[in-house]
């Protein structure tokens, strides 16, 4: 059997519910890890694979909503699917405003829960992909020399080579050389690509 490429965390103080949910999740080909308390989940190292959290609302100690708040404080972006036997509008609204992907009321239909989990894992894949892309972009930017960064900043702001040269007190030929190095190191296929990269990095002159 291939190793599951995603993990679903279940936090519920009811052991029978934890076991039932874990069995359902594993039957869908996903890895499942269960916790009886929010503190137990927080003590676990962050997952290194796409994941989501199936979370009970009412628990002793830290409630599900408390855990959601704590995760925001810790910058844990694991998507949350709430399940509860005590659903009410204010609680639902609070959870959704805080970023929960879904709020399901017990008894939860298997298909509804698995669909919500699938959406949550796909969201986490997207988050991880964007984080990896940003990390790579920062590495490329870090390889630029101080002068190359100055040239990049001006080029993506729309200045012509002669204008960049005038601002930096250098020759147009030198600016062209630096610009070529910037394009190569940043792996930009066009000026438009470079502009998009600069926007992601917050390196546009109008953003300083």
């Amino acid at each position: 059997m291939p190793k599951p490429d995603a993990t679903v965390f279940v936090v519920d103080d009811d052991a029978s519910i934890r076991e039932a949910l874990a069995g359902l999740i594993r039957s869908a080909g996903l890895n499942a890890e269960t916790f009886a308390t929010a503190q137990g989940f927080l003590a676990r190292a962050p997952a290194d694979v796409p994941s989501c959290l199936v979370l009970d609302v009412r628990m002793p100690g830290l409630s599900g909503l408390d855990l959601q708040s704590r995760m925001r404080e810790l910058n844990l972006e694991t998507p949350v699917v709430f399940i509860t036997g005590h659903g009410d509008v204010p609680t639902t609204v609070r959870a959704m405003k805080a970023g929960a992907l879904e709020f399901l009321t017990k008894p939860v239909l298997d298909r509804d829960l698995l669909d919500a989990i699938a959406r949550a894992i796909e969201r986490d894949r997207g988050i991880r992909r964007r984080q990896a892309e940003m990390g790579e972009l920062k590495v490329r930017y870090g390889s630029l020399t101080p002068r190359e960064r100055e040239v990049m900043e001006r080029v993506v702001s729309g200045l012509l080579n002669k204008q960049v040269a005038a601002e930096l007190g250098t020759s147009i030929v030198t600016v062209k050389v630096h610009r070529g190095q910037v394009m190569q190191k940043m792996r930009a296929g066009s000026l438009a690509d470079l502009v998009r990269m600069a926007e992601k990095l917050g390196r546009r002159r109008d953003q300083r």
Side-chain angles (χ1 to χ4, degrees):
M1 291 290 291
K3 183 179 179 180
D5 66 346
T7 294
V8 180
F9 301 109
V10 177
V11 181
D12 196 305
D13 61 314
D14 188 318
S16 63
I17 291 179
R18 291 199 305 274
E19 293 172 6
L21 291 177
L24 174 64
I25 291 163
R26 290 173 184 136
S27 72
L30 302 168
N31 185 44
E33 291 187 28
T34 63
F35 303 87
T37 66
Q39 293 89 338
F41 170 75
L42 289 172
R44 187 201 188 280
D48 57 1
V49 295
S51 58
C52 74
L53 173 60
V54 176
L55 179 59
D56 189 21
V57 174
R58 295 190 180 183
M59 297 183 293
L62 282 179
S63 70
L65 293 175
D66 292 335
L67 175 55
Q68 186 186 29
S69 297
R70 184 66 179 140
M71 289 171 64
R72 287 203 310 276
E73 294 171 2
L74 296 173
N75 292 319
L76 297 177
E77 299 187 66
T78 306
V80 177
V81 174
F82 274 108
I83 56 173
T84 181
H86 310 278
D88 61 74
V89 173
T91 300
T92 303
V93 170
R94 178 181 168 189
M96 300 305 285
K97 282 187 174 181
L101 184 138
E102 188 61 87
F103 197 100
L104 303 173
T105 302
K106 299 174 184 176
V108 181
L109 295 177
D110 291 354
R111 177 46 52 194
D112 289 345
L113 179 57
L114 290 177
D115 285 347
I117 287 173
R119 292 196 302 273
I121 289 175
E122 189 57 35
R123 175 187 288 185
D124 195 45
R125 289 188 199 280
I127 291 171
R128 290 171 182 273
R129 183 169 54 251
R130 289 189 293 273
Q131 289 175 337
E133 291 171 353
M134 180 56 71
E136 173 63 22
L137 205 55
K138 289 180 178 178
V139 169
R140 295 179 198 171
Y141 185 74
S143 71
L144 301 181
T145 66
R147 179 45 63 97
E148 287 168 352
R149 293 181 186 183
E150 291 177 335
V151 169
M152 174 178 167
E153 185 179 79
R154 286 161 175 78
V155 167
V156 299
S157 296
L159 297 185
L160 301 175
N161 288 340
K162 63 180 181 181
Q163 294 172 313
V164 176
E167 281 202 8
L168 298 180
T170 189
S171 69
I172 295 177
V173 172
T174 299
V175 168
K176 288 182 178 179
V177 171
H178 286 313
R179 181 170 177 164
Q181 286 294 102
V182 168
M183 296 293 287
Q184 181 179 358
K185 289 182 179 180
M186 293 301 294
R187 301 180 192 173
S190 65
L191 177 57
D193 286 343
L194 193 64
V195 169
R196 283 191 288 270
M197 293 176 184
E199 288 176 341
K200 290 180 180 178
L201 291 165
R203 302 308 303 178
R204 294 286 296 273
R205 293 181 76 185
D206 55 2
Q207 294 175 332
R208 289 193 304 177

